[in-house]
Amino acid sequence: MTHHESGGPARLLVLADEQGNIIAASAAPEAGAVGADAPSTGGVRVSEGRVLHEVALPEGRLRAEAAESLGDFYVAVDGGEPRLVKRSQGSAGA
């Protein structure tokens, strides 16, 4: 009788700047738990230079890593579909 489908990927609401750097994140509500005001996967502009995206968090290691350190990830929008991408270790200066 549960309405949560554990087979699908978890979803995350991510506030990012125009370069995809993550500013804040929270768990997205379950499908069907929100009304028409829910953000689309294309992103919702919340303020100048900041966009709210809904991204899928795949099961497994990425999910655990993302929960620990979202600073190691950025949001990329490919073909209108936002996704989390792990930064390469060589590109981080600090």
Side-chain angles (χ1 to χ4, degrees):
M1 286 197 198
T2 61
H3 61 277
H4 177 71
E5 293 185 25
S6 60
R11 295 180 339 181
L12 199 62
L13 289 178
V14 179
L15 181 64
D17 63 17
E18 292 176 338
Q19 290 76 40
N21 298 309
I22 297 171
I23 298 165
S26 70
E30 291 183 28
V34 294
D37 293 336
S40 66
T41 56
V44 175
R45 187 180 196 91
V46 293
S47 68
E48 188 64 35
R50 296 186 177 180
V51 179
L52 185 66
H53 296 283
E54 186 173 324
V55 296
L57 253 181
E59 297 292 332
R61 185 168 182 169
L62 174 60
R63 184 181 211 173
E65 288 176 2
E68 290 176 13
S69 180
L70 281 172
D72 292 339
F73 294 83
Y74 65 95
V75 177
V77 180
D78 299 324
E81 183 68 28
R83 62 186 178 92
L84 287 182
V85 177
K86 185 161 180 138
R87 296 181 190 278
S88 62
Q89 301 228 344
S91 68

